[in-house]
Amino acid sequence: MKQHKKQLALFVLLLISSLGVAQQSSKSQKREKIWIYDVNIIKDETGRIVNVEKVVFGKGTPGGPIQIRYFETKEKRGVGGNIIYSTRERVGENNVDPEIVKRYENTSN
C-alpha cells in the first residue's frame, strides 16, 4: 500500500512538472507580429506622381519586424476633378523610385 502511494505521488509530481515546462516553452516561442506598411504611389494619366501615401495595413509587435509593400495607382480624372477610372497594382521595390524607397523605409512617416 505504501509503495502505491509513493508511485502515485511520484506520478502526480512528474505530471505537474511536465505541465510547467510545457507552459514555459510555449510562452518563450511566441512569434512577433510583423508591421505591414502600404506605400501607395498615385500617378495621373501622364505618369506624373501626384501623391504618395503611407498607411499601416497590419499592426505588429512594438519594435518587431517591418514589411513595406509598394503599390502604384493610376488615375484618370474628368474635367471637374472627379476620378473617371483608377487602377492599383502592387509593384516590387526595384520598380519604385529610389527616393520614395529611401523616404518611406523608416516607420516615422
Side-chain angles (χ1 to χ4, degrees):
M1 191 80 160
K2 282 185 178 182
Q3 184 124 3
H4 268 6
K5 286 184 181 181
K6 284 182 183 181
Q7 286 177 341
L8 183 60
L10 184 60
F11 177 72
V12 170
L13 185 62
L14 286 173
L15 183 63
I16 290 171
S17 65
S18 69
L19 288 174
V21 169
Q23 287 177 349
Q24 287 176 350
S25 66
S26 67
K27 286 181 183 175
S28 66
Q29 293 178 357
K30 194 172 189 179
R31 290 180 35 185
E32 290 184 326
K33 290 185 178 178
I34 297 175
W35 285 93
I36 301 174
Y37 294 91
D38 285 355
V39 175
N40 189 24
I41 304 158
I42 302 170
K43 296 183 176 184
D44 63 11
E45 63 268 9
T46 64
R48 187 175 61 94
I49 296 175
V50 292
N51 194 12
V52 178
E53 304 168 332
K54 181 179 181 181
V55 295
V56 177
F57 181 78
K59 291 188 177 186
T61 307
I66 298 168
Q67 176 187 8
I68 299 177
R69 304 182 310 178
Y70 294 92
F71 294 88
E72 186 173 287
T73 300
K74 295 179 183 172
E75 297 178 342
K76 182 173 182 179
R77 294 186 176 259
V79 178
N82 296 329
I83 296 175
I84 295 173
Y85 77 85
S86 175
T87 61
R88 183 177 190 226
E89 68 178 81
R90 187 169 176 180
V91 293
E93 190 171 313
N94 296 333
N95 301 335
V96 177
D97 181 353
E99 287 300 313
I100 292 173
V101 173
K102 185 188 283 185
R103 179 175 174 196
Y104 290 97
E105 67 189 348
N106 75 34
T107 60
S108 62
N109 292 340

